[in-house]
C-alpha cells in the first residue's frame, strides 16, 4: 500500500526525538500556553523572518482570528479563491462578512489577480489569497491592488510552510499569514494546531487577546475573545519538525520532479509561480480519465485524492451567495479534472515510478 502521507516512516525517522519532546512537555506540567508554545512561536517567527508568530488552535482559527484582528466585521466583503478548502471562506463568514470569489489561473491554480479589480467596491476590506498546494500566489500584484484600494491582505499559508516568493517566506508578505498544522500538512503536528504571523504591533496585540478570551491579564477581559490556543504538546512536536522542514520540503520537491520526469506530457502540471518555490504540500495534476486513473491506482493499492471536487461557490453551504454553474469556469474545470498523487518526504524513487507507470497505462 502506498498512502498519501506516511506518518509511520516519519516515526521511523524522527519518532525518538518527537517522543522525547512530548515527554518534556508533559513533565513541565504547563499544558496551556506553556514554555513550548513560546519557544515554537519564537522559532517559527525567526524561520519565517517575521516579527511575531501567535500559536492558535487550528488553521481555521488562525484565519478567523487574523481576519478579526485586521478589523473584518459584519457587512464587509473579502475577496478570495473558490478553489481551496472550505475553511478559507468559512473564516470570512465567521466574521459576519461575505466571501467574494474570484476565479483562478488554469496553470498556477491560484487566484487570478487580473480578475480581482472588477470585484472591488466600497464594502471590500481585504484580499485573502491561498498558496494552494504549496505554490505561492502572485503576491506583488495582490499587494499593489491592496495598496491602490486601501485593502488588507491575509495570506492562507495552510499548505505553504517554507514556500518562498521573491526570496520572502509566505506568511511574511501580507498583513498577516495563517498556518495550519493539521497532521497532513507539509508541517503538521499530531493533532490540531495553527499559527498567525504578522509584523504589525496592533494586529499582534489583538491576536494575543483574541486567542485567550480577550484577556491580557487573567480574569480581566478587554474584548470578547475565544478559547483558541496552540497546545503545548503540539508545540513541542512542531519545534522538532521545524528543525527538519527544509529537508522535508526539498524531498517533496524532488518527488515532484521525479513525477514530472516519469510522466512526461501525459498530464498537465501545476505551474510553479514565477520567482517562487512551491513546497508541494500536494502533487496535483490536470488529467483526462481521472476516475479511471483513480480506480487503477486503487486496485494497485496506491492512494490518490481529489483536492477539491466542488469549488466553494458551488457548495451547498454557500447557496445563499447565489452563484451558479459557469460563473467561475476555471475553478469548475479544475474541480472536474484534478487528481493528487501520494507525496511525502519518504516516498522512494521506485514508488514514484510505479505510480507514474500505473497512470501511464491508463492514458
Ligand atoms: C487545512 C486548511 C485550512 C484549515 O486548517 P485546519 O488546521 O484544518 O483548521 C485552511 N485553509 C487551507 C487552504 C487548508 O488547506
Amino acid at each position: 500500500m502506498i498512502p498519501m502521507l506516511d506518518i509511520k516512516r516519519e516515526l521511523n525517522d524522527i519518532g525518538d526525538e518527537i517522543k522525547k519532546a512530548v515527554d518534556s512537555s508533559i513533565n513541565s506540567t504547563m499544558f496551556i500556553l506553556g514554555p513550548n508554545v513560546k519557544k515554537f512561536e519564537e522559532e517559527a517567527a525567526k524561520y519565517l523572518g517575521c516579527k511575531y508568530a501567535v500559536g492558535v488552535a487550528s488553521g481555521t482559527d488562525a484565519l478567523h482570528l487574523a481576519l478579526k484582528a485586521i478589523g473584518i466585521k459584519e457587512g464587509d466583503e473579502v475577496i478570495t479563491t473558490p478553489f481551496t478548502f472550505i475553511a478559507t471562506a468559512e473564516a470570512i463568514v465567521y466574521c459576519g462578512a461575505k466571501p467574494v470569489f474570484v476565479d483562478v489561473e488554469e496553470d498556477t491554480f491560484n487566484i487570478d489577480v487580473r480578475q480581482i479589480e472588477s470585484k472591488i467596491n466600497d464594502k471590500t476590506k481585504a484580499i485573502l489569497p491561498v498558496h494552494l498546494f504549496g505554490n505561492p500566489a502572485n503576491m506583488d500584484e495582490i499587494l499593489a491592488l491592496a495598496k491602490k484600494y486601501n485593502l488588507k491582505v491575509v495570506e492562507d499559508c495552510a499548505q505553504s510552510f517554507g514556500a518562498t516568493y521573491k526570496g520572502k517566506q509566505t506568511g511574511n508578505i501580507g498583513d498577516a499569514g495563517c498556518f495550519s498544522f493539521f497532521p497532513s500538512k507539509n508541517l503538521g503536528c499530531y493533532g490540531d494546531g495553527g499559527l498567525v504571523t504578522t509584523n504589525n504591533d496592533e494586529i499582534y496585540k489583538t491576536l494575543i487577546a483574541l486567542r485567550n478570551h480577550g484577556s491580557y491579564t487573567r480574569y480581566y477581559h478587554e474584548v470578547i475573545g475565544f478559547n483558541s490556543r496552540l497546545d503545548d504538546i503540539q508545540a513541542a512536536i512542531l519545534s522538532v519538525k521545524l528543525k527538519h522542514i527544509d529537508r522535508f520540503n526539498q524531498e517533496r520537491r524532488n518527488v515532484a520532479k521525479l513525477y514530472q520526469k516519469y510522466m512526461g506530457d501525459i498530464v498537465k502540471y501545476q505551474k510553479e509561480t514565477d520567482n517562487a518555490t512551491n513546497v508541494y504540500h500536494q502533487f496535483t495534476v490536470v488529467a483526462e480519465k481521472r476516475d479511471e486513473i483513480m480506480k487503477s491506482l486503487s486496485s494497485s493499492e496506491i492512494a490518490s485524492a481529489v483536492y477539491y471536487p466542488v469549488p466553494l461557490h458551488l457548495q451547498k453551504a454557500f447557496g445563499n451567495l447565489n452563484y451558479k454553474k459557469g460563473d467561475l469556469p476555471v475553478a469548475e474545470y479544475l474541480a472536474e479534472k484534478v487528481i493528487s498523487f501520494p507525496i511525502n518526504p519518504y516516498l522512494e524513487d521506485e514508488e514514484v515510478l510505479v505510480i507514474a507507470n500505473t497512470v501511464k497505462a491508463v492514458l
Side-chain angles (χ1 to χ4, degrees):
M1 177 73 204
I2 305 180
M4 294 295 282
L5 77 156
D6 207 327
I7 303 287
K8 286 264 163 63
R9 288 185 192 175
E10 177 174 293
L11 286 172
N12 285 338
D13 179 13
I14 57 169
D16 289 346
E17 268 182 279
I18 298 248
K19 284 166 195 165
K20 243 171 64 192
V22 169
D23 224 38
S24 92
S25 169
I26 292 172
N27 288 334
S28 83
T29 72
M30 291 167 68
F31 302 121
I32 304 298
L33 295 179
N36 288 292
V37 173
K38 193 165 189 328
K39 178 167 172 275
F40 175 68
E41 286 174 342
E42 285 169 6
E43 291 166 352
K46 185 162 176 241
Y47 179 91
L48 297 167
C50 54
K51 201 161 167 194
Y52 303 112
V54 179
V56 296
S58 70
T60 306
D61 280 6
L63 290 159
H64 178 201
L65 301 195
L67 289 171
K68 260 193 114 65
I70 62 158
I72 300 302
K73 54 181 190 333
E74 190 92 41
D76 291 345
E77 292 186 2
V78 177
I79 290 174
T80 192
T81 164
F83 194 51
T84 177
F85 182 58
I86 191 167
T88 310
E90 276 179 321
I92 298 168
V93 177
Y94 295 161
C95 296
K98 182 171 133 183
V100 173
F101 297 115
V102 166
D103 211 354
V104 294
E105 298 177 327
E106 199 177 319
D107 52 2
T108 66
F109 304 171
N110 284 324
I111 192 163
D112 186 346
V113 183
R114 294 164 303 177
Q115 297 188 47
I116 291 179
E117 196 159 13
S118 66
K119 298 286 166 56
I120 296 173
N121 62 42
D122 290 348
K123 292 179 180 161
T124 312
K125 294 289 149 57
I127 306 172
L128 174 40
V130 178
H131 308 300
L132 197 73
F133 306 143
N135 189 37
N138 287 303
M139 293 307 295
D140 274 0
E141 288 90 331
I142 290 170
L143 291 181
L145 272 180
K147 193 166 176 208
K148 182 169 170 192
Y149 292 97
N150 194 25
L151 309 174
K152 295 275 197 269
V153 175
V154 174
E155 300 170 68
D156 185 335
C157 308
Q159 306 184 357
S160 71
F161 198 102
T164 60
Y165 175 86
K166 300 197 171 168
K168 258 189 157 178
Q169 289 282 332
T170 59
N172 190 26
I173 303 169
D175 295 280
C178 304
F179 294 86
S180 164
F181 304 125
F182 187 83
S184 68
K185 307 294 183 182
N186 72 308
L187 179 61
C189 58
Y190 290 5
D192 276 306
L195 189 80
V196 185
T197 51
T198 186
N199 291 307
N200 180 297
D201 295 356
E202 277 308 306
I203 293 174
Y204 169 72
K205 259 186 72 181
T206 308
L207 287 168
I208 290 294
L210 284 178
R211 75 167 170 186
N212 196 24
H213 300 289
S215 171
Y216 297 106
T217 309
R218 193 174 260 186
Y219 306 126
Y220 292 79
H221 306 275
E222 313 289 325
V223 292
I224 298 295
F226 302 88
N227 176 348
S228 181
R229 297 160 302 219
L230 178 63
D231 189 86
D232 196 77
I233 292 175
Q234 300 305 337
I237 292 169
L238 285 164
S239 278
V240 171
K241 289 185 73 173
L242 182 62
K243 283 192 287 185
H244 300 284
I245 191 67
D246 286 341
R247 170 169 66 96
F248 291 161
N249 283 340
Q250 187 54 49
E251 291 294 344
R252 286 173 179 276
R253 286 176 62 78
N254 294 347
V255 170
K257 263 204 207 104
L258 266 186
Y259 269 122
Q260 293 176 8
K261 180 175 150 198
Y262 292 146
M263 292 197 293
D265 60 5
I266 56 166
V267 296
K268 271 192 266 170
Y269 303 101
Q270 180 182 24
K271 180 181 173 251
E272 197 163 10
T273 300
D274 292 337
N275 304 306
T277 51
N278 184 347
V279 291
Y280 288 99
H281 164 62
Q282 296 295 349
F283 184 76
T284 304
V285 304
V286 178
E288 298 304 322
K289 303 190 193 170
R290 176 174 79 187
D291 293 349
E292 284 167 61
I293 294 172
M294 288 188 89
K295 239 186 245 152
S296 179
L297 288 171
S298 162
S299 61
S300 308
E301 304 230 296
I302 298 164
S304 62
V306 173
Y307 306 113
Y308 296 92
V310 181
L312 298 188
H313 67 290
L314 299 180
Q315 293 284 355
K316 199 171 161 200
F318 290 119
N320 62 319
L321 298 176
N322 290 317
Y323 285 90
K324 56 185 188 316
K325 219 173 160 122
D327 283 347
L328 304 169
V330 180
E332 292 166 30
Y333 166 80
L334 291 174
E336 268 175 29
K337 297 280 183 195
V338 289
I339 173 169
S340 305
F341 300 130
I343 191 162
N344 62 68
Y346 305 100
L347 202 63
E348 287 165 12
D349 292 14
E350 194 58 35
E351 293 172 314
V352 178
L353 182 61
V354 168
I355 297 166
N357 283 340
T358 310
V359 176
K360 268 173 151 168
V362 176
L363 292 170

